[in-house]
Amino acid sequence: MINRKYTTQMDAAKQGISTPEMLAVANDENIKVEDLMALVAKGRIVIPSNINHKALKPVGVGEGLKTKINVNLGISKDSNDYAVEIAKAKKAIDLGVEGIMDLSNYGKTREFRTELIGFSSAMIGTVPVYDALGFYDKELKDIQAHEFLEVVEQHGKDGVDFVTIHAGINQYTAKTFINNPRLMNIVSRGGSLMFAWMRLNNRENPFFEYFDDLLDICAKYDMTLSLGDAMRPGGLADATDASQIQELLILGELTKRAWTKNVQVMIEGPGHMAIDEIEANVILEKKLCHGAPFYVLGPLVTDVAPGYDHITGAIGGAIAASKGADFLCYVTPAEHLRLPTLEDMVEGIMASKIAAHAGDIGKRVKNAKAWDNAMSHARQQLDWDKMFEYALDPEKARLYRQGTNPEDEKTCTMCGKMCAVRTLNKVLNGEDLNILRA
């Protein structure tokens, strides 16, 4: 253990100690460290930063901060090319993602995880229950309750910054689900595993039953607890139903218990959801979970767009972020179809970055709109180099521009000399328009 006067970022904040991580986040977000510290103490901002993650560039997630994005990757039995997933992680970091979730569930999961943590400046998340079957080489039914916690402990030792734990799907939530049938049942992988384990063993969910032991592990490594949405809707028909809300109520109670032990908490959210339900879901999470940061997958606003779900997710993500969601899990064109390729991942990242920034403008994050105003000024000046500089993806913008040959090099091949910006600039400067003449 590192010798310091606090256990977690929340513990430090409650004591009035400004940690190096807080100072870094305050500088990055251009806010006062005292204001940041107050929100960390209240649980409204988290700074996931395991004491064993040495390469980490700390970021804050929560109230008043820029919306962050997360990428999912990792090895599986059907796609277990270790090198490909490492390459994807490095590309994701180059593109500026703030979080990477290692969802590996087959083969050399620990070797992959430790290498990833060794070089990643982005915070690393995992879902320990995915790792349990391979870790013990046992069928799900045969895993003992305490063994689930031992996997969490190993992830903490390895330097994982946040862990998704499906503790809200207890026996009462399971009964609610059985009594309120769904079209898509349970689509959360971790949620389905915990539900199955409870049914097969006729036992309570170990993460719920031994929640205090789980909190002790998280506090030991300053590992943020991302309370998983086992009952998230996997189709529009199941959104905002009894099972989802019942789990959310339990997550709110677990959040308060975590805060008493100074464990930082994020709440995970849906899922698939009609566009007109998104705002209400953000409000519900913030109310029922006491302002804890909200981490959403999508939401995907329609079920019928396989191959284009990076778009359906970006639409929902932008709305969710504008209404107060804090962390967007990216969605790629491969969602529902396959493990994403590197190209799929890039498409998903860019769609999520657009959604996050659009959300920041909507919720008036400090200086968010200044970026757009700078781009507008460059466009007004027809300054293409500046436009590329301010572009979210400069490489793609330059590629589209290259190879075109407008008559006036200041314009583009869409409007040519009829460019509205060119026209106004010349007229207001008292110049000849010269639209038809060479």
Side-chain angles (χ1 to χ4, degrees), residues 350-351 353-354 357 371 375 387-394:
M350 299 315 298
K353 291 184 80 167
I354 293 167
H357 181 61
W371 183 8
M375 174 63 89
M387 287 185 236
F388 298 142
E389 180 184 331
Y390 294 128
L392 187 68
D393 185 349

Side-chain angles (χ1 to χ4, degrees), residues 9 69 73 96 134 153 198 236 258 282 287 298 314 383 396 431:
Q9 296 296 317
I69 68 167
L73 46 78
E153 175 97 33
M198 288 191 293
L236 301 190
V282 176
K287 288 280 189 182
D383 186 337
K396 188 169 187 177
E431 300 175 17

Side-chain angles (χ1 to χ4, degrees), residues 1-6 21 50-54 220:
M1 288 288 291
I2 295 174
N3 183 22
R4 59 188 193 182
K5 296 179 180 179
Y6 55 90
E21 292 80 10
N50 188 307
I51 60 173
N52 293 326
H53 187 176
K54 307 304 183 185
K220 183 177 179 181

Side-chain angles (χ1 to χ4, degrees), residues 312-342:
T312 66
I315 293 169
I319 295 169
S322 73
K323 301 305 178 183
D326 308 289
F327 195 18
L328 305 182
C329 184
Y330 89 151
V331 180
T332 77
E335 186 78 10
H336 303 110
L337 301 171
R338 68 178 184 199
L339 189 77
T341 63
L342 188 145

Side-chain angles (χ1 to χ4, degrees), residues 94-334:
D94 288 344
L95 290 174
V97 304
E98 292 86 9
I100 295 175
M101 285 207 79
D102 172 16
L103 304 186
S104 297
N105 56 49
Y106 175 80
K108 298 178 180 179
T109 56
R110 187 169 183 230
E111 184 178 330
F112 178 83
R113 181 170 63 249
T114 54
E115 181 173 345
L116 176 61
I117 292 167
F119 70 75
S120 178
S121 56
M123 55 183 168
I124 300 298
T126 59
V127 189
V129 70
Y130 293 179
D131 199 25
L133 279 76
F135 189 84
Y136 293 111
D137 193 23
K138 291 182 180 181
E139 286 297 333
L140 179 65
K141 181 180 183 296
D142 299 324
I143 297 175
Q144 301 299 303
H146 68 90
E147 291 178 322
F148 285 112
L149 294 178
E150 289 171 1
V151 176
V152 178
E153 175 97 33
Q154 185 62 65
H155 285 215
K157 288 179 181 178
D158 292 341
V160 171
D161 300 297
F162 65 99
V163 281
T164 292
I165 301 292
H166 300 88
I169 182 168
N170 62 4
Q171 290 288 2
Y172 192 85
T173 307
K175 183 177 180 181
T176 301
F177 163 67
I178 294 298
N179 291 338
N180 295 271
R182 285 177 149 191
L183 182 61
M184 285 290 294
N185 293 322
I186 298 174
V187 300
S188 159
R189 193 190 326 176
S192 68
L193 291 171
M194 296 318 301
F195 177 82
W197 188 91
M198 288 191 293
R199 298 276 283 195
L200 292 169
N201 290 281
N202 194 28
R203 289 275 308 275
E204 182 56 276
N205 178 348
F207 292 126
F208 181 79
E209 185 174 2
Y210 301 106
F211 191 68
D212 285 330
D213 295 329
L214 172 67
L215 295 178
D216 290 339
I217 295 170
C218 290
K220 183 177 179 181
Y221 301 101
D222 197 359
M223 191 160 51
T224 297
L225 187 56
S226 189
L227 289 172
D229 52 340
M231 304 309 299
R232 72 170 180 264
L236 301 190
D238 299 328
T240 326
D241 70 349
S243 297
Q244 182 191 333
I245 301 305
Q246 175 55 46
E247 181 183 38
L248 194 59
L249 287 166
I250 293 171
L251 297 186
E253 293 302 308
L254 295 177
T255 297
K256 290 192 292 186
R257 287 174 60 184
W259 287 346
T260 64
K261 291 199 172 188
N262 296 318
V263 173
Q264 301 184 98
V265 176
M266 295 187 290
I267 306 295
E268 298 186 14
H272 292 237
M273 181 166 291
I275 203 166
D276 61 336
E277 294 184 54
I278 295 173
E279 181 177 5
N281 269 260
V282 176
I283 292 170
L284 277 172
E285 185 278 337
K286 293 289 184 177
K287 288 280 189 182
L288 297 179
C289 296
H290 321 293
F294 198 18
Y295 173 25
V296 296
L297 174 65
L300 280 71
V301 295
T302 179
D303 299 333
V304 298
Y308 299 92
D309 277 328
H310 60 311
I311 298 174
T312 66
I315 293 169
I319 295 169
S322 73
K323 301 305 178 183
D326 308 289
F327 195 18
L328 305 182
C329 184
Y330 89 151
V331 180
T332 77

